[in-house]
Amino acid sequence: AEQQELPEQFEEAMKELQGIVQSMENQILSLDDALKAYERGMLLSRVCQQKLDDAQLQVQVLQDNLLKPLVQDNEGN
């Protein structure tokens, strides 16, 4: 079986992950299908977590730049 490509966008990965969770909750899956769904869900979960980590880092960088003092202290006074 060919491995399905992972989505690059957070929203797409999250939507697919939610669909997998819903299908696992609402359907009786064979052991093989359940394992495949679980594996795919874990991969999607990693994509989502990486996107969130990247966004958090970007926010930290933006905050650090905005929180720097606008006027630098003059040490020679």
Side-chain angles (χ1 to χ4, degrees):
E2 186 177 314
Q3 182 70 19
Q4 189 179 3
E5 191 171 319
L6 291 171
E8 292 186 22
Q9 298 296 319
F10 173 84
E11 293 79 7
E12 292 174 20
M14 189 60 139
K15 183 177 179 179
E16 185 179 343
L17 183 57
Q18 289 171 336
I20 288 171
V21 169
Q22 192 172 35
S23 71
M24 291 180 81
E25 289 177 344
N26 295 334
Q27 299 175 10
I28 298 174
L29 299 175
S30 69
L31 180 58
D32 286 342
D33 289 343
L35 287 172
K36 288 176 187 175
Y38 178 80
E39 180 181 11
R40 179 71 179 172
M42 291 304 296
L43 292 171
L44 290 166
S45 175
R46 287 187 197 129
V47 168
C48 290
Q49 187 60 55
Q50 183 61 52
K51 296 293 183 186
L52 289 173
D53 290 346
D54 291 347
Q56 183 179 16
L57 181 61
Q58 188 174 4
V59 167
Q60 279 183 312
V61 167
L62 291 171
Q63 285 179 338
D64 288 346
N65 286 336
L66 292 175
L67 295 177
K68 288 182 182 176
L70 295 176
V71 179
Q72 294 186 5
D73 293 333
N74 291 328
E75 294 179 19
N77 289 351

